[in-house]
Amino acid sequence: MEASKVKTGDLVMLNSGGPIMTVNGFISNQVMCVWFDKENGLYHHKSAQFYPAALKPVEPASVEN
């Protein structure tokens, strides 16, 4: 994925799998992502930065509630 093709608010996932994340911004040619992870019945806010090539877009219709 090219950084220019993703924008804040888009849903993405790592090419290797994992949670669905929301693009929160950009810094140093990396994409900042946020998501919630459920541990012991509680949701925890997580965030990390990834290179655009490590991400793929996720269609909102494919997200389960």
Side-chain angles (χ1 to χ4, degrees):
M1 168 183 287
E2 294 178 34
S4 62
K5 293 187 177 186
V6 65
K7 62 185 182 305
T8 301
D10 284 353
L11 298 177
V12 296
M13 175 185 277
L14 287 171
N15 291 327
S16 59
I20 295 172
M21 304 177 286
T22 303
V23 174
N24 195 39
F26 306 89
I27 188 167
S28 302
N29 297 323
Q30 292 189 354
V31 182
M32 297 185 317
C33 298
V34 296
W35 68 98
F36 287 93
D37 193 19
K38 190 173 184 179
E39 297 173 14
N40 299 323
L42 299 173
Y43 286 96
H44 300 276
H45 179 262
K46 306 281 185 157
S47 64
Q49 295 174 200
F50 303 96
Y51 287 105
L55 300 171
K56 62 183 177 183
V58 175
E59 295 298 322
S62 67
V63 176
E64 294 181 16
N65 290 327

